[in-house]
Amino acid sequence: MRVLVTGGCGFIGSNFIIHMLATHQDMTIVNLDKLTYAGNLGNLAGVRREHGGTRYVFARGDIANAELVAHLITVHKVDAVVNFAAETHVDRSIADASPFIQTNIVGAQALLETARTMGVPRFVHVSTDEVYGTLGPEGAFSEETPLAPNSPYSASKAAADLLVRACHETYGYDTVITRCSNNYGPYQFPEKLIPLMIGRAVNDEPLPVYGDGKNVRDWIHVLDHCRGVELALLKGRAGEVYNFGGAAEKPNIEVVKTILAALGKPESLIRFVTDRPGHDRRYAMDFSKARRELGFAPSYDFTRGMAETLAWYLENAAWVEDVKSGNYARFMAAWYGERV
Ligand code: NAD
Ligand code: DAU
């Protein structure tokens, strides 16, 4: 099988490529990535050494570039597209939505259209639980929950989901949408909660917790998400949506305290700062459809996953410093300002 993976130099995309090449000896992966601030070729250095030019090919470019995408599909005889490419950080979408509109909507539609018109047999679109909006203290999102996004990021992801759905309904194109909860694990860009807090705690810097810290996220190890996308690619039914979750709902403050305790750092580093505008209160996933139809189940419990993740970030301080070059410092200074 020959798969065009987009956004493969990002957090989940690179974990997905490493996993798929290791577990499917008959698979070739073409990785199309624009290498934005969030994309890092170094994540796949091992893959390039082992499989470069044979089972792994990298192309730098934009998913909106139909000519380039068509060229890759033809030359590599692509059997399926898995679209991870996106602008992904909610806070950045609040500061400036335009790159989110461009990549997550315009880019996703261009990629979808090119794949469909070129006859690529299957298109898997990787989406998020954030398209469902927010929950009260009870219940969980199912695939039937109406879309009600609350941030520019989640609105752009919901728009793409609707375009993918419409493409299936209108043209009968074989599409599958996956929606997953918050991922954690190796190679996550250190603007996201867990790697951000690890890095700041290690350096004895204040930890900025939004609002009262009681917003709840469902945490899934990135490898469990990758296995979910793998199942959706290989076994998902055309036109369907599949939710994935980690069955690990935690208030943010608990996650932050877990990190501090594991590192032996004091809770006095915590700062409760001005809340994120439009901050969703709680996410939880009903993934019974994926369990039933695909055989999906998360394999990591949060304690084990966090211990491994902490160890990875401590051992890979050079990776963190490397990805923090670029526009990281500028965004962080503008976003957090004087709050911490
Ligand atoms: P990330 O920000 O770490 O990586 C995104 C990658 O996409 C980068 O390598 C970047 O260079 C690339 N990219 C951005 N714009 C591009 C474009 N126009 N053309 C080609 N490449 C482009 O993101 P992530 O956290 O790995 O998320 C991957 C996907 O999974 C996204 O679609 C996201 O919405 C979805 N998702 C993420 C999570 C999570 O917790 N991180 C949860 C559910 C779903
Ligand atoms: O739920 C899936 C989504 O998870 C993905 O679709 C997004 O791409 C991904 O970025 C992530 O979105 P979140 O907004 O949930 O993740 P983030 O790491 O930014 O924040 C997690 C929680 O922590 C959220 O409630 C906000 C809070 N937070 C975050 C930061 C960066 C803080 O309290 N302080 C912070 O400094």
Side-chain angles (χ1 to χ4, degrees), residues 10-12 33-34 36 39 62-63 84 88 103 127 153 157 183:
F11 164 45
I12 306 170
D33 197 298
K34 190 178 170 183
T36 68
D62 196 313
I63 54 169
F84 288 99
T88 61
T103 287
S127 187
Y153 162 69
K157 293 295 291 185
N183 288 218

Side-chain angles (χ1 to χ4, degrees), residues 88-91 128-130 153 180-183 191-194 196-197 208-210 215 217 219 252 276 279-280 283 336:
T88 61
H89 194 43
V90 172
D91 294 337
T128 167
D129 60 356
E130 299 204 6
Y153 162 69
C180 188
S181 59
N182 284 63
N183 288 218
E191 63 192 353
K192 307 292 200 294
L193 182 78
I194 288 178
L196 177 78
M197 297 298 169
V209 174
Y210 296 160
N215 299 64
R217 296 292 181 266
W219 293 98
N252 294 333
R276 170 187 280 175
H279 194 179
D280 289 331
Y283 303 147
Y336 292 96

